[in-house]
Amino acid sequence: MRICYYELLSVDRSATDLELKKAYRKQALIWHPDKNGDRVQEATERFAMIQEAYEVLSDPHERAWYDGHRDSILRGDDAAVHKDSSAGTTSDDLMRYFSMSEFKGFNDDDKGYYAVYRKLFEKLSDEEESAHNADPPEDGQSYTRYPMFGNSKTPFADSDGYRGYGGYARDFYAAWMNFSSVKSFQWMDKWRLRDAPNRFVRRAMEKENKKARETARKEYNDTVRSLATFVRKRDPRFKAYQEEERIRKEAAAAEQKARAQREKEELQAQIAAYQEPEWAKVDPVLVDAFTSDESESDDDQGGSEETDFYCVVCDKFYKSEQQYTSHESSKKHLKLAEKMKREMMADEEAFDFGQDKKEEEVKTLKKKKKGKKTPKFGIEEEEDLDALTASLTLDPSGRRRRTNRKEEPTEAEANEPAKETAKMKRERRKEKKKQKEENVGCTI
């Protein structure tokens, strides 16, 4: 007979974590075997059930699962009376294994923890293999059996040499906690397709049957995975492995801390034992003298320091851009800048810059006489350009120059009659025509 966990702790189904904790302590004090000497066997069983109830209800995930399947767990074998024989183990059949009352102690006896769950998972694996062989996949992939549950001697993980896949309890839990059934779940069909009057009804039946199968498959997979999680949490091998891992991690952390401390102490010892070589030692007297000389030189220079802000005119450095900008607008700077400008202009006039001007004049003359032969003035081509320029300046009469000014007419040209233009010709013809009309009128 199974008792509801909430009834064992005498709390409501909406009880909080604090209320569950208080109720567990109260019931544990009442049913502790040491306080029930007259009924030790009954108190021991009751105390174990109270511990199981608190362990399940204090875990949020297991409590949510228990609340969702509470009725099925309490029914146990009663739910499998009218099931289909082809279904094998169903979700309702597995509900009774979500209770520590299903086994007696964590030992290898027939009713012990290891024997009960080993037989259960072997049966589930055989059913999956039979379903695979009855309807093999199209790709022809062979069936791979799930790892075995083992016994109390089976190690949880690799510690003394690798035994291969399936030789450890960790492989078992890794496989079953990711379980996916290959059963067809045809027994979950709601309709018989042969009863369909036409193809439209048949398609609707197939759709509902497929939905029912997928729902049953999902529920079955979730139940098997949750059962594997439930079993692992109570597995003594898993608890021992967790304790070993905790000790190992603590030892590794302590070793790392000790190594860091040793390295620190060794470094401090090296620093303490270090002796500066003779060539690296500095005479403090020389250092003081050098420092005093530098301070005196700074005082002589007015304490100026070289920076990026340098005035070329005044030959000074400034510490900031603001100082440099203010200095540029000062009267002293402007006066020195004007003086430097005059000196530079005077230096420019002292050099001979007339050569460029003469070359420009020669280029201008060449453009004016482009296409005509340049007359020779008794000099050779190899002579200096200055001599050529001087010859052109001294003998302008030997060259014909084009000017924009109109030449004054000579006396003979002035006596010649001006040429008659087209306008003048038109006016003269008009006058002749007018005179002819007047003459004709007088005759009439």
Side-chain angles (χ1 to χ4, degrees):
M1 179 180 178
R2 290 176 175 80
I3 303 176
C4 177
Y5 289 156
Y6 293 100
E7 294 179 2
L8 281 172
L9 298 179
S10 300
V11 294
D12 297 333
R13 297 186 64 178
S14 59
T16 61
D17 294 340
L18 183 59
E19 292 175 350
L20 288 173
K21 190 174 183 179
K22 290 181 178 179
Y24 166 70
R25 289 181 177 178
K26 181 179 179 180
Q27 294 296 325
L29 290 174
I30 294 175
W31 290 97
H32 197 279
D34 294 342
K35 295 186 177 182
N36 295 272
D38 55 339
R39 45 178 184 174
V40 177
Q41 184 66 24
E42 180 184 358
T44 303
E45 294 178 357
R46 186 80 175 191
F47 185 76
M49 295 173 64
I50 292 172
Q51 285 183 321
E52 177 188 353
Y54 179 71
E55 187 175 358
V56 171
L57 298 181
S58 60
D59 190 329
H61 298 286
E62 291 198 6
R63 183 177 181 179
W65 171 263
Y66 179 80
D67 292 341
H69 302 81
R70 174 174 171 272
D71 296 337
S72 299
I73 293 173
L74 294 178
R75 283 198 305 266
D77 293 334
D78 298 338
V81 176
H82 303 289
K83 73 173 185 177
D84 193 331
S85 59
S86 62
T89 305
T90 62
S91 299
D92 294 333
D93 297 335
L94 297 175
M95 290 303 171
R96 65 190 183 91
Y97 291 96
F98 285 88
S99 175
M100 295 180 66
S101 61
E102 193 64 24
F103 60 89
K104 302 295 182 180
F106 294 92
N107 48 53
D108 294 325
D109 297 341
D110 292 339
K111 294 185 179 181
Y113 170 83
Y114 297 102
V116 170
Y117 288 108
R118 181 172 60 251
K119 294 176 182 178
L120 172 63
F121 284 102
E122 285 179 359
K123 181 181 178 181
L124 295 178
S125 181
D126 293 339
E127 292 177 358
E128 293 296 320
E129 185 175 6
S130 300
H132 179 274
N133 296 333
D135 186 15
E138 296 179 357
D139 56 1
Q141 186 178 2
S142 60
Y143 177 77
T144 303
R145 288 189 62 86
Y146 285 87
M148 302 299 292
F149 183 72
N151 51 34
S152 60
K153 305 298 182 182
T154 304
F156 185 83
D158 184 13
S159 60
D160 55 351
Y162 184 65
R163 299 187 178 186
Y165 177 74
Y168 304 95
R170 181 170 59 182
D171 299 335
F172 168 84
Y173 289 115
W176 286 99
M177 290 175 69
N178 295 279
F179 172 78
S180 180
S181 178
V182 296
K183 293 181 179 180
S184 63
F185 291 91
Q186 295 179 355
W187 54 89
M188 299 301 298
D189 291 350
K190 295 182 179 180
W191 308 96
R192 290 186 301 181
L193 299 181
R194 64 170 179 248
D195 296 339
N198 53 57
R199 67 175 183 273
F200 300 106
V201 176
R202 181 185 179 89
R203 290 175 183 174
M205 289 180 175
E206 289 178 350
K207 186 176 180 180
E208 290 192 11
N209 289 342
K210 182 179 180 181
K211 184 177 180 181
R213 292 181 187 183
E214 294 300 325
T215 302
R217 187 191 309 277
K218 184 177 182 300
E219 182 182 0
Y220 183 69
N221 290 338
D222 292 342
T223 304
V224 174
R225 294 171 187 174
S226 300
L227 179 60
T229 305
F230 177 86
V231 174
R232 188 188 69 164
K233 186 175 181 180
R234 290 152 183 81
D235 194 338
R237 299 170 298 182
F238 177 66
K239 294 180 179 179
Y241 174 75
Q242 283 186 316
E243 183 65 19
E244 291 175 0
E245 285 294 304
R246 185 186 64 79
I247 296 173
R248 184 185 64 80
K249 290 180 180 179
E250 291 180 355
E255 178 62 23
Q256 184 178 3
K257 185 176 180 180
R259 189 187 312 111
Q261 183 65 23
R262 288 196 302 269
E263 292 176 356
K264 183 179 179 180
E265 293 176 355
E266 291 176 359
L267 182 60
Q268 291 178 351
Q270 292 177 2
I271 294 174
Y274 176 75
Q275 293 182 356
E276 187 178 9
E278 293 294 335
W279 59 269
K281 294 181 179 179
V282 180
D283 191 355
V285 179
L286 296 177
V287 174
D288 294 340
F290 180 74
T291 306
S292 60
D293 292 342
E294 283 189 348
S295 60
E296 291 177 0
S297 62
D298 292 342
D299 294 340
D300 295 341
Q301 295 178 3
S304 61
E305 298 180 357
E306 292 189 1
T307 61
D308 294 337
F309 307 101
Y310 173 68
C311 179
V312 181
V313 179
C314 303
D315 191 19
K316 288 184 178 180
F317 289 92
Y318 295 91
K319 295 182 178 180
S320 64
E321 183 179 1
Q322 184 177 2
Q323 291 183 356
Y324 179 72
T325 305
S326 301
H327 167 72
E328 285 184 332
S329 60
S330 64
K331 293 182 179 180
K332 183 178 179 180
H333 173 79
L334 297 175
K335 184 176 181 181
L336 291 176
E338 185 65 25
K339 181 179 178 181
M340 178 178 287
K341 182 178 180 181
R342 290 197 299 269
E343 292 177 355
M344 292 176 67
M345 294 296 293
D347 294 341
E348 183 178 356
E349 293 176 357
F351 292 96
D352 185 11
F353 295 101
Q355 186 70 18
D356 297 338
K357 187 176 181 181
K358 293 178 182 179
E359 291 179 359
E360 292 179 0
E361 292 178 356
V362 172
K363 290 180 180 179
T364 305
L365 291 173
K366 287 183 178 180
K367 289 180 180 179
K368 289 181 178 180
K369 296 300 180 179
K370 187 176 181 182
K372 295 184 178 182
K373 294 183 180 181
T374 304
K376 296 183 179 180
F377 299 97
I379 59 174
E380 300 296 332
E381 293 182 357
E382 291 80 2
E383 291 181 353
D384 189 27
L385 186 60
D386 293 340
L388 175 60
T389 306
S391 299
L392 294 173
T393 305
L394 294 174
D395 192 9
S397 61
R399 295 173 56 99
R400 295 166 59 184
R401 299 181 180 178
R402 294 182 181 179
T403 61
N404 295 327
R405 295 179 300 174
K406 295 182 180 180
E407 296 181 357
E408 295 180 359
T410 60
E411 185 177 355
E413 293 175 351
N415 295 330
E416 292 180 358
K419 293 182 179 180
E420 189 177 14
T421 62
K423 185 177 181 182
M424 294 172 65
K425 289 180 180 180
R426 287 195 300 271
E427 291 177 354
R428 186 166 53 79
R429 284 196 299 270
K430 287 180 181 180
E431 290 178 358
K432 287 182 178 181
K433 185 177 181 181
K434 186 177 181 181
Q435 291 178 359
K436 186 176 179 180
E437 289 175 355
E438 290 178 355
N439 293 333
V440 171
C442 293
T443 304
I444 295 170

